[in-house]
Amino acid sequence: MTQKVLIFGSNGTIGDSIFIELEKEKYEVYTAGKSNNKKSINHINTNYSLDIKSDTFKELPEFDAIIWAHGLNLSDTIENFKFEDLSNLLNSNVI
């Protein structure tokens, strides 16, 4: 049976690399994010700034794994850099 995986943040560098590797390994990959993933035929558009209703994901199959690769845009100039933003990003992506 094919394993099913859901990736949040599949358009970023890390998420895209994970997506490519899982596709090579013949996983059934679903993606979720605020912008379309042009590589994914199973993409769910989500708006992280709004409350996500539980029925957004209600019709999806049961997943063998869910991957959180969503990050923040931290490419601002050094003058605008906030250590707290980086800390929050690291904490949200580490179990």
Side-chain angles (χ1 to χ4, degrees):
M1 177 184 277
T2 304
Q3 292 191 358
K4 296 174 181 69
V5 178
L6 172 61
I7 304 173
F8 286 89
S10 62
N11 282 326
T13 303
I14 294 171
D16 184 56
S17 295
I18 293 169
F19 175 85
I20 290 168
E21 290 303 313
L22 291 174
E23 287 269 304
K24 284 182 193 175
E25 296 294 324
K26 307 295 185 210
Y27 283 78
E28 187 174 336
V29 182
Y30 290 74
T31 58
K34 59 186 174 187
S35 57
N36 286 330
N37 182 318
K38 293 174 180 64
K39 298 176 187 174
S40 176
I41 60 171
N42 298 313
H43 184 76
I44 302 104
N45 281 321
T46 58
N47 185 343
Y48 297 113
S49 64
L50 302 175
D51 288 333
I52 297 175
K53 297 178 183 175
S54 60
D55 61 348
T56 301
F57 299 96
K58 185 177 178 180
E59 301 298 321
L60 294 175
E62 186 173 321
F63 293 104
D64 298 291
I66 298 175
I67 299 166
W68 182 262
H70 188 276
L72 295 172
N73 179 3
L74 297 177
S75 59
D76 291 335
T77 63
I78 193 69
E79 295 89 20
N80 296 330
F81 177 80
K82 295 182 184 94
F83 180 77
E84 182 180 1
D85 290 341
L86 179 59
S87 180
N88 290 336
L89 174 62
L90 293 173
N91 288 327
S92 71
N93 285 295
V94 176
I95 296 177

